[in-house]
């Protein structure tokens, strides 16, 4: 309210101040076994109900530093059979500018009873009008001593004269019965979507103790009252801020906006009309939508409607290349099996792995021998897998975990590389000879886990890929420093050119550190047939022999004419 409005209000006609009698108390017999007690306090009330301050209080325009209080009393508590059915505090005020469009700068006049805030927490009204705000009074505020101490905190968001208001009266209305029956128990509340306070979710309250709701075994119904804070700093009745006046156990998502605070009051009422103390539950609705309730907002969730998945984690486009004559170096062209790949490790909100997808292509096959391509996951068992499948050039099949492994998951992805790498140009090999530019073979794979697995257990992509001859399962060829599986032939280690220390720091390398398999973090052109990789990529020698310490981008510097499509 402007200062001009405050000055004008002080000279309004006498009709502005409603003339009312001093404190009045009455009890009415409702002729149905119940009684209604009413007590009204106004400007003319005296101690102990009201001590009028000097120049403010009831019937005066009062501002932020002119807070005041009063006391209602209920003197009938001596009768042990008296049971309260309802208790309401009605406060009539004028020019209470509590409209929600003011935001936190509006006139918010807080009401508390016996030192505790009520629900709603504010007087409710609009500019230039009289309004009456109804507060449900907790039974404990009456039954403890029969005194209800009310306090008005005027314009609680300002420490200077901004808004003013005046009160006509405060009225305590108590309906009670004289009965040996006991009041119902306090409702025990739980909620749906408790961990997901998202603006696209209904707010649903559930009363858990409906089977044991009343000490006398009376039937019980429940009364719901909903409040909301849309940015005012205190909750008010939902209809006051333009919401539906909800009276059931649910607020639909269409009524909820991000950033709002919602509160429900639930009161049990038994078949005798006796009530419990009210129970409350409060929602602080996230400003962000989280449709699947996994704790990740939709804007940050790659799978906003899937609570088991939250993020895609792609590797860069990379290339695997193998030499199949291990433990001998052979022609060392590392083109016997070449595969481009990208892995996507799909994780949940707790950073645990739910799914692993592979998207790749078989780029080359320079082997005369028939080999298989497999993938091993250390520290993972077959029982953890929900489903696994692979598609090669449009042919889909389920993957079956290889037997013979303990706490290791092994799948053979390509059972015979020869079968899927037939040159379109009639060459003996596949994309390793000059002139052969056959289409690469697309490959996709997906492994879905029953629950999730720890990232630390499953390791990093590309995990543990290897090849082996179709007719010699034990002769596995792995990336350097990767472990053989339980089916590998350990007798081949330290034979030929191999210098592996199984269980030690070095596997699948020569004495000079040259590998039989490469994981190149790039789209890469492999050597053509019978060209030693050291001749096709001269910088690889120092890279390998320095244990990857030098020439780390060796794969970007081929010798023209010595690798596939790098002329």
């Amino acid at each position: 309210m402007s200062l001009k409005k405050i000055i004008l209000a002080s000279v309004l006609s006498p009709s502005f101040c409603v003339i009312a009698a001093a404190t009045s108390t009455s009890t009415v017999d409702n002729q149905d076994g119940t009684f209604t007690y009413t007590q009204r306090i106004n400007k003319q009330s005296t101690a102990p109900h009201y001590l009028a301050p000097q120049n403010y209080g009831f019937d005066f325009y009062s501002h932020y530093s002119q807070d005041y209080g009063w006391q209602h009393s209920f003197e009938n508590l001596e009768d042990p059979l008296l049971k309260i059915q309802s208790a309401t505090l009605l406060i009539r005020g004028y020019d209470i500018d509590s409209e929600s469009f003011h935001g936190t700068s509006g006139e918010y006049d807080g009401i508390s009873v016996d030192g505790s805030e009520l629900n709603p927490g504010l007087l409710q009204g609009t500019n230039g009008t009289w309004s009456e705000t109804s507060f449900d009074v907790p039974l404990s505020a009456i039954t403890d001593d029969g005194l209800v101490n009310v306090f008005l905190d005027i314009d609680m968001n300002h420490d200077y004269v901004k808004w003013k208001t005046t009160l006509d009266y405060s009225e305590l209305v108590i309906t009670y019965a004289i009965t040996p029956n006991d009041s119902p128990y306090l409702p025990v509340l739980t909620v749906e979507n408790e961990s997901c306070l998202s603006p696209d979710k209904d707010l649903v309250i559930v009363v858990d103790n409906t089977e044991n709701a009343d000490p006398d075994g009376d039937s019980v119904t429940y009364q719901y009252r909903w409040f909301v804070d849309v940015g005012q700093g205190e909750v008010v009745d939902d209809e006051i801020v333009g919401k539906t006046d909800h009276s059931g156990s649910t607020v639909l998502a269409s009524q909820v906006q991000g950033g709002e605070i919602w509160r429900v009051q639930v009161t049990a009422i038994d078949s005798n009309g006796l009530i419990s103390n009210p129970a409350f539950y409060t929602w602080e609705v996230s400003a962000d939508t989280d449709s699947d309730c996994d704790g990740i907002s939709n804007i940050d969730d790659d799978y906003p409607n899937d609570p088991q998945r939250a993020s895609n984690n792609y590797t860069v486009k990379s290339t695997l290349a193998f030499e199949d004559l291990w433990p001998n170096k052979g022609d060392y062209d590392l083109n016997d099996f070449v595969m481009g790949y990208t892995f996507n490790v799909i994780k949940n909100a707790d950073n645990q792995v739910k799914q692993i997808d592979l998207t790749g292509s078989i780029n080359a096959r320079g082997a005369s021998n028939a080999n298989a391509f497999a993938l091993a996951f250390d520290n993972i068992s077959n029982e953890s897998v929900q489903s696994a499948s692979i598609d090669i050039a449009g042919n889909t099949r389920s993957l079956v975990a290889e037997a013979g492994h303990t706490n290791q998951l092994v799948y053979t992805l390509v059972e015979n590389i020869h079968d899927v790498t037939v040159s379109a140009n009639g060459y003996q090999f596949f994309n390793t000879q000059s002139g052969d530019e056959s289409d690469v073979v697309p490959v996709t794979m997906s492994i879905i886990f029953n629950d999730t697995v720890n990232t630390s257990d499953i390791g990093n992509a590309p995990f543990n890929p290897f090849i082996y001859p179709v007719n010699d399962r034990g002769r596995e060829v792995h990336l350097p420093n990767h472990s053989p599986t339980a089916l590998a032939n350990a007798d081949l280690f330290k034979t030929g050119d191999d210098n592996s220390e199984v269980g030690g720091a070095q596997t699948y390398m020569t004495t000079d550190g040259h590998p039989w398999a490469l994981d190149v973090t790039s789209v890469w052109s492999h050597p053509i047939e019978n060209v030693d990789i050291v001749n096709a990529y001269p910088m690889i020698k120092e890279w390998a022999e320095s244990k990857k310490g030098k020439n780390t981008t060796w794969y970007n510097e081929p010798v023209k004419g010595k690798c596939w499509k790098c002329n």
Side-chain angles (χ1 to χ4, degrees):
M1 181 186 295
S2 68
L3 289 176
K4 180 179 178 182
K5 182 176 178 182
I6 295 170
I7 295 169
L8 289 174
S10 67
V11 295
L12 287 174
S13 66
S15 62
F16 165 74
C17 295
V18 176
I19 304 300
T23 300
S24 62
T25 302
S26 65
T27 300
V28 175
D29 185 343
N30 299 319
Q31 303 299 313
D32 59 0
T34 66
F35 302 84
T36 298
Y37 171 91
T38 303
Q39 183 180 73
R40 177 177 291 193
I41 295 174
N42 60 24
K43 177 184 178 182
Q44 298 181 23
S45 297
T46 58
H49 299 120
Y50 176 59
L51 292 175
Q54 186 67 35
N55 297 321
Y56 67 95
F58 281 104
D59 224 10
F60 284 94
Y61 253 117
S62 307
H63 56 68
Y64 81 100
S65 65
Q66 296 175 327
D67 306 332
Y68 57 97
W70 57 95
Q71 184 184 85
H72 285 282
S73 60
F74 181 59
E75 301 174 355
N76 300 337
L77 293 174
E78 298 83 2
D79 188 340
L81 298 181
L82 185 147
K83 302 297 188 315
I84 296 175
Q85 293 185 326
S86 66
T88 303
L89 184 67
L90 302 174
I91 299 178
R92 188 169 190 258
Y94 180 79
D95 196 28
I96 300 166
D97 297 75
S98 67
E99 299 95 335
S100 60
F101 65 79
H102 292 297
T104 55
S105 294
E107 178 187 347
Y108 303 130
D109 307 319
I111 295 292
S112 60
V113 164
D114 291 350
S116 298
E117 292 183 354
L118 292 179
N119 295 280
L122 306 170
L123 293 178
Q124 300 172 165
T126 57
N127 177 48
T129 64
W130 284 100
S131 60
E132 190 172 68
T133 306
S134 173
F135 301 90
D136 294 322
V137 180
L139 299 186
S140 57
I142 303 169
T143 58
D144 57 353
D145 58 7
L147 302 177
V148 180
N149 295 290
V150 186
F151 186 78
L152 170 63
D153 185 355
I154 301 173
D155 195 13
M156 52 200 297
N157 287 351
H158 295 99
D159 58 4
Y160 58 89
V161 178
K162 170 71 173 179
W163 304 97
K164 288 191 174 185
T165 191
T166 184
L167 299 187
D168 181 14
Y169 60 77
S170 172
E171 187 172 85
L172 177 66
V173 181
I174 299 173
T175 299
Y176 63 91
I178 305 299
T179 175
N181 282 283
D182 290 322
S183 300
Y185 295 123
L186 180 75
V188 177
L189 306 181
T190 58
V191 299
E192 294 182 2
N193 302 321
E194 183 174 9
S195 62
C196 181
L197 306 182
S198 177
D200 65 337
K201 294 289 184 297
D202 297 343
L203 306 182
V204 182
I205 195 73
V206 178
V207 179
D208 279 344
N209 60 329
T210 56
E211 296 298 320
N212 183 27
D214 187 89
D216 308 306
D218 298 327
S219 61
V220 170
T221 58
Y222 296 93
Q223 183 179 70
Y224 301 85
R225 187 175 178 184
W226 290 84
F227 311 94
V228 61
D229 175 7
V230 296
Q232 298 163 276
E234 292 284 345
V235 294
V236 298
D237 282 292
D238 49 2
E239 72 272 15
I240 296 296
V241 292
K243 307 285 188 178
T244 299
D245 184 8
H246 295 91
S247 59
S249 62
T250 301
V251 172
L252 296 178
S254 58
Q255 291 280 300
V256 179
Q257 298 294 320
E260 294 177 344
I261 297 174
W262 281 81
R263 182 174 298 159
V264 65
Q265 170 186 296
V266 184
T267 305
I269 306 172
D270 71 12
S271 54
N272 297 298
L274 303 184
I275 65 172
S276 68
N277 266 307
F280 296 93
Y281 191 89
T282 300
W283 290 261
E284 294 186 14
V285 182
S286 170
D288 298 319
T289 300
D290 180 12
S291 297
D292 56 13
C293 297
D294 63 355
I296 306 296
S297 64
N298 283 7
I299 194 171
D300 297 320
D301 196 333
D302 292 327
Y303 301 85
N305 296 303
D306 186 344
Q308 295 184 316
R309 296 167 175 81
S311 65
N312 291 315
N313 300 273
Y314 292 97
T315 62
V316 298
K317 291 184 177 180
S318 302
T319 307
L320 291 169
F322 291 85
E323 176 63 46
D324 73 344
L325 293 180
W326 180 87
N328 301 306
K329 289 185 71 173
D331 58 9
Y332 206 60
D333 52 16
L334 274 98
N335 66 9
D336 292 334
F337 178 67
V338 182
M339 181 176 183
Y341 75 86
T342 297
F343 277 99
N344 179 19
V345 180
I346 301 172
K347 299 181 180 181
N348 66 6
D350 295 324
N351 203 40
Q352 293 185 311
V353 179
K354 175 62 180 177
Q355 181 173 337
I356 296 175
D357 289 344
L358 164 69
T359 301
S361 60
I362 300 173
N363 296 341
R365 187 261 306 161
S368 299
N369 296 327
N371 296 309
F373 172 62
L375 187 60
F377 299 91
D378 300 329
N379 304 313
I380 300 296
S381 67
N382 179 41
E383 289 74 19
S384 64
V385 177
Q386 175 183 322
S387 65
S389 62
I390 190 167
D391 183 288
I392 302 176
N395 297 312
T396 302
R397 64 180 174 87
S398 296
L399 290 173
V400 178
E402 188 178 50
H405 303 279
T406 301
N407 201 33
Q408 188 178 52
L409 180 65
V410 179
Y411 289 118
T412 297
L413 304 189
V414 186
E415 295 175 335
N416 189 329
I417 297 169
H418 272 239
D419 292 343
V420 296
T421 54
V422 177
S423 170
N425 304 303
Y427 288 86
Q428 176 185 359
F429 302 110
F430 181 77
N431 287 343
T432 64
Q433 297 161 281
S434 296
D436 187 5
E437 296 187 5
S438 300
D439 292 338
V440 299
V441 181
V443 177
T444 58
M445 179 204 72
S446 184
I447 301 172
I448 301 173
F449 297 101
N450 287 317
D451 295 313
T452 55
V453 296
N454 294 327
T455 303
S456 58
D457 288 340
I458 205 164
N460 298 318
F463 310 105
N464 190 358
F466 63 98
I467 63 172
Y468 62 86
V470 171
N471 60 359
D472 188 1
R473 172 62 184 82
R475 190 155 61 89
E476 299 177 355
V477 185
H478 290 256
L479 290 168
N481 296 328
H482 281 60
S483 300
T485 76
L487 299 186
N489 184 353
D491 292 339
L492 295 175
F493 294 113
K494 288 286 188 177
T495 65
D497 297 307
D498 179 67
N499 191 43
S500 293
E501 296 288 346
V502 179
Q506 175 175 300
T507 57
Y508 295 99
M509 288 187 286
T510 69
T511 302
D512 293 329
H514 293 197
W516 272 269
L518 293 170
D519 177 25
V520 182
T521 55
S522 173
V523 176
W524 180 63
S525 295
H526 50 273
I528 59 176
E529 196 63 31
N530 295 319
V531 173
D532 190 307
I533 193 171
V534 175
N535 295 325
Y537 289 89
M539 293 180 67
I540 192 176
K541 184 175 187 296
E542 189 173 12
W543 170 80
E545 294 175 5
S546 67
K547 299 186 183 301
K548 304 181 182 180
K550 298 180 180 179
N551 299 338
T552 56
T553 58
W554 63 266
Y555 49 82
N556 289 329
E557 301 191 37
V559 175
K560 290 184 178 180
K562 294 191 176 184
C563 57
W564 190 61
K565 290 187 176 182
C566 62
N567 294 326

